[in-house]
Amino acid sequence: MKDETEHAPAFEEAVAEDWAEGAETVEVPLGNHPLIYVWFLVLILAVGFAGRVVFLSLGKGEVYAARAKANLEQVKKTVPLRGIITDRFGTVLAENKIVPYVFLETGKFLKHEELQEPTLRALQQIANIAPDEVWGWIRDADPDRLGERIPVPIEVSDRMLVMLKGLNLSTVVVEDGVERVYKKGKAFAHVLGYVGFPGVADLQANPLISADEMVGKDGVERSYNSLLRGDAGITVVRRDAVGNVLDTSERQAPSRGETLRLAIDADLQTYFYERLAAGLRSLGRKVGVGIAMNPKTGEVLALVQEPSYDNGILSKTGHTSEKKAILTSPEKPLFNRAISGAYSPGSTIKPLVGIAALKEGVIDPERRIFSPGYLDIPNPFDPSKPTRYKDWRAHGSVDLAAAIAVSSDVYFYEVGGGAPGGPKGLGIDRLRKWWETFNFGKRTGIDLPGEVDGFLPSIEWKEKREKRPWLLGDTYNVSIGQGDLLITPLQLLLYLNAVATGGKLLRPVIAKEAPHPVVVRDISYLAPEIAEVVKGMRQAVTAPNATIYALHDLPFTLAAKTGSAQVYNNRKINAFFVGYAPVEDPQLIVLVLVEDAKEGALNAIPVGGDVLKWYYENRMTNNQ
């Protein structure tokens, strides 16, 4: 019998033969490479998965744990009353009142799609809020706190209140909240600042803040927000898996914020603001700054500015058009020029230059310099055309005290930059060293937000910026407070306060709670040189031909200095007045700045004199 199994091909062989029939094939071994690639891909996926797990567990673990817990527990916060703000005598400057607020419950709004359309329709019909605006709030919210409610920016009228409460929508909630009330309005805006609902940056910076409470946005409201805000009340509502309430418990009762007592004298602040505003109106000008300080303690007794703004408007919900007008005004009323504005100091810098020159041995108090009304620098290329630096008038032969009293430019040209063919001056490097000695170019440390450093020019800066060397004319300009030297009004006040106190550079304070006096730098080793420039500042008031003789008949002794700085390519002049009184025992130092003055420093003197006189009559004689 024939064995058929010997010749019958296996199934696999038959298939192989069929595939190979008519084909030219070569069998090549695969090797290990494909397996390596597969394992490498698996490893990458595993590492990525593990990294994501670690990130979610460590980086976002608390967030997601809180979200999971929130499904079972609803935490309700009761916004606390914000602490009141008073002046140094207890006069209330900022307090609270209870008003209705509207909130969008974003968690419910996003979770229940069936509620979105009626919610958007209601907000549009009742509050004229477009749906795109609502979605914009959600898009701009902190993604990690998206389940929290969002305040609806409307001022709630009685009619609107009735309609909103009658909606019966769980996505729109009306609750009583706290509105900030400012008693003194514009006169105090740049000291107090204002409050508002927190933005994403506020929420991310402080996890204790909730989206429905007011936080400080500027002024002491911002600087002392943690002291003023208090602690929210916390009530926890526990639910089961289907949403039924199991129990309610109060975890924490709300506590009111602390009272903030300022160093500000409310009556002085009000008078200073009104007098500055009146002075600007009489000149047809819009911008001015006023600061008054206790020379011995650094307590700021008044800080005012025009243009100002209504901080009550910015602290309320709604009032969209009025807020927009403030925020977009070309006059920039929110810009605190006293601490954030950088100005050329003009001739108010001359006492500092005098102190430096005396200490460096460049001059002595008796050295006299002749001012014919100009200083000519020879032109090496054309002797018939010298470079002329003008004085504001001819002063004749003056010594240091007289040069300060009449504010001779030629005197300080030569002291700062040297005389042609004569004695050398301080020069830019030594001038810069002495600016730094009086803390120019550094923030004062005042307890207000937004302070800037100012700017101190140098040879290196000039060569890098303009690709040309520092010139003698540049030194002449900064020696009289012109050119590229920029300081804030507060820095200017503090430098002259060091002159008033014999060499104590103090840190200014707005709040009584802030430590004071704090001596930032003691330069009392300059007392002999300071005494010499004080003679000139005193003569500036008493000498008939001096710059501040208009105030010679005040009922107290006064030392003062004025300055006029040319800006905008000499098209405008900023006017300064700084003075302190009484000279023998300083009780008050005052600065006045008028931007774009009509008659230079003369425009600032009357305001400064009236403020000093008011303080003498209402505080010095009453020992307040």
Side-chain angles (χ1 to χ4, degrees):
M1 183 174 178
K2 188 177 182 178
D3 187 358
E4 295 181 357
T5 59
E6 291 181 1
H7 304 285
F11 175 75
E12 290 84 355
E13 293 176 347
V15 172
E17 289 175 359
D18 289 341
W19 276 95
E21 184 177 356
E24 296 179 1
T25 60
V26 177
E27 293 186 5
V28 178
L30 292 175
N32 295 327
H33 290 85
L35 291 176
I36 293 174
Y37 296 149
V38 170
W39 281 109
F40 185 68
L41 179 60
V42 170
L43 180 63
I44 291 175
L45 292 174
V47 171
F49 178 76
R52 183 64 179 170
V53 169
V54 171
F55 171 74
L56 293 177
S57 299
L58 300 179
K60 294 287 187 177
E62 294 183 3
V63 173
Y64 290 110
R67 287 184 180 180
K69 189 176 181 180
N71 291 329
L72 297 177
E73 294 185 350
Q74 181 183 7
V75 178
K76 293 185 176 181
K77 291 186 177 182
T78 304
V79 176
L81 285 174
R82 198 167 174 83
I84 66 172
I85 303 174
T86 75
D87 84 333
R88 65 188 300 109
F89 301 118
T91 301
V92 175
L93 305 177
E95 58 183 1
N96 312 293
K97 73 174 181 179
I98 305 301
V99 297
Y101 285 119
V102 181
F103 299 96
L104 174 69
E105 295 283 1
T106 55
K108 294 178 180 178
F109 180 82
L110 294 173
K111 185 176 182 180
H112 300 284
E113 294 185 5
E114 72 278 6
L115 295 178
Q116 292 176 6
E117 194 278 331
T119 300
L120 295 172
R121 184 174 63 251
L123 289 175
Q124 187 163 30
Q125 291 176 349
I126 297 174
N128 195 30
I129 297 174
D132 287 346
E133 189 174 353
V134 177
W135 287 113
W137 302 338
I138 296 172
R139 183 177 61 253
D140 296 337
D142 183 353
D144 291 332
R145 302 175 71 167
L146 197 54
E148 295 187 10
R149 59 188 184 179
I150 295 175
V152 178
I154 55 173
E155 186 176 21
V156 184
S157 64
D158 291 341
R159 172 181 171 277
M160 197 180 294
L161 184 62
V162 172
M163 296 177 70
L164 289 168
K165 286 187 174 181
L167 286 176
N168 197 29
L169 281 171
S170 60
T171 52
V172 180
V173 177
V174 181
E175 289 185 1
D176 284 341
V178 180
E179 181 178 278
R180 205 60 160 160
V181 178
Y182 298 106
K183 296 282 191 174
K184 300 289 184 175
K186 292 183 176 182
F188 288 78
H190 292 91
V191 170
L192 299 179
Y194 62 98
V195 298
F197 287 113
V200 173
D202 298 312
L203 295 172
Q204 291 178 341
N206 187 350
L208 298 178
I209 294 175
S210 59
D212 56 358
E213 71 172 280
M214 293 288 189
V215 297
K217 295 290 187 177
D218 204 359
V220 294
E221 291 278 26
R222 178 175 170 183
S223 299
Y224 292 93
N225 185 67
S226 58
L227 181 145
L228 289 165
R229 66 180 293 266
D231 294 318
I234 300 176
T235 303
V236 178
V237 179
R238 294 180 62 249
R239 301 176 185 272
D240 60 20
V242 294
N244 296 317
V245 176
L246 298 177
D247 61 66
T248 301
S249 61
E250 184 180 65
R251 296 276 179 88
Q252 177 178 295
S255 61
R256 182 173 188 155
E258 295 183 37
T259 296
L260 176 64
R261 183 182 172 208
L262 303 183
I264 295 291
D265 181 333
D267 291 340
L268 175 63
Q269 174 93 4
T270 301
Y271 177 81
F272 205 159
Y273 175 77
E274 292 175 349
R275 180 63 185 86
L276 177 65
L280 292 172
R281 284 195 302 271
S282 68
L283 297 169
R285 296 296 182 259
K286 296 181 178 180
V287 180
V289 173
I291 311 172
M293 191 177 80
N294 182 326
K296 298 177 180 178
T297 65
E299 293 173 293
V300 178
L301 304 177
L303 189 151
V304 300
Q305 174 181 306
E306 271 286 275
S308 189
Y309 64 96
D310 188 337
N311 51 355
I313 291 293
L314 291 184
S315 298
K316 295 178 181 178
T317 56
H319 298 275
T320 305
S321 60
E322 294 167 281
K323 289 179 179 178
K324 184 177 180 180
I326 294 172
L327 296 172
T328 61
S329 171
E331 296 171 359
K332 299 181 179 180
L334 287 169
F335 182 60
N336 192 337
R337 291 165 170 83
I339 62 172
S340 303
Y343 298 85
S344 296
S347 294
T348 58
I349 201 69
K350 290 174 180 175
L352 186 155
V353 177
I355 293 169
L358 287 171
K359 192 64 178 177
E360 296 280 356
V362 172
I363 58 169
D364 59 55
E366 288 75 35
R367 177 186 165 189
R368 306 183 75 83
I369 295 175
F370 183 76
S371 169
Y374 57 86
L375 177 64
D376 282 344
I377 304 300
N379 184 340
F381 304 103
D382 187 351
S384 66
K385 295 180 179 179
T387 301
R388 175 163 289 185
Y389 293 89
K390 294 183 179 180
D391 208 328
W392 68 280
R393 76 178 184 197
H395 299 290
S397 181
V398 290
D399 59 15
L400 175 61
I404 292 174
V406 300
S407 201
S408 169
D409 288 341
V410 166
Y411 185 95
F412 288 97
Y413 287 150
E414 295 197 15
V415 168
K424 290 185 177 181
L426 287 164
I428 181 57
D429 289 334
R430 285 196 288 183
L431 282 169
R432 184 183 170 95
K433 181 191 76 172
W434 283 97
W435 296 335
E436 292 172 344
T437 298
F438 282 88
N439 242 34
F440 289 175
K442 292 183 179 179
R443 300 175 192 183
T444 68
I446 191 172
D447 45 341
L448 286 176
E451 188 178 17
V452 300
D453 294 319
F455 179 74
L456 309 183
S458 66
I459 294 174
E460 295 75 18
W461 163 82
K462 185 71 175 288
E463 291 175 345
K464 182 177 180 180
R465 191 194 74 163
E466 298 189 2
K467 309 299 182 186
R468 66 183 183 88
W470 183 274
L471 303 175
L472 177 61
D474 296 321
T475 305
Y476 284 163
N477 280 334
V478 297
S479 297
I480 62 167
Q482 308 284 352
D484 296 307
L485 172 63
L486 299 174
I487 60 176
T488 68
L490 186 59
Q491 288 172 333
L492 173 57
L493 178 79
L494 291 172
Y495 127 63
L496 284 167
N497 191 76
V499 172
T501 58
K504 297 292 193 299
L505 274 163
L506 301 180
R507 177 177 298 156
V509 297
I510 291 288
K512 272 287 193 180
E513 280 76 4
H516 62 277
V518 174
V519 179
V520 176
R521 182 170 296 157
D522 187 344
I523 51 175
S524 55
Y525 65 89
L526 296 173
E529 291 78 18
I530 288 173
E532 294 297 332
V533 302
V534 168
K535 293 178 182 177
M537 293 174 64
R538 181 73 185 117
Q539 286 183 31
V541 179
T542 60
N545 65 332
T547 54
I548 316 172
Y549 186 67
L551 302 183
H552 74 280
D553 57 352
L554 288 173
F556 47 82
T557 55
L558 170 66
K561 188 72 188 78
T562 56
S564 300
Q566 296 175 332
V567 294
Y568 297 107
N569 293 322
N570 300 334
R571 296 194 305 271
K572 294 182 179 180
I573 293 178
N574 293 332
F576 287 96
F577 166 88
V578 187
Y580 64 89
V583 175
E584 58 277 7
D585 182 24
Q587 302 295 313
L588 186 72
I589 184 166
V590 169
L591 175 143
V592 178
L593 162 64
V594 176
E595 285 194 22
D596 190 18
K598 294 177 68 175
E599 300 172 288
L602 292 175
N603 294 154
I605 292 171
V607 177
D610 284 348
V611 170
L612 285 160
K613 185 177 180 182
W614 183 95
Y615 194 79
Y616 173 79
E617 293 173 348
N618 293 275
R619 295 293 182 262
M620 292 188 201
T621 56
N622 293 331
N623 294 319
Q624 288 192 343

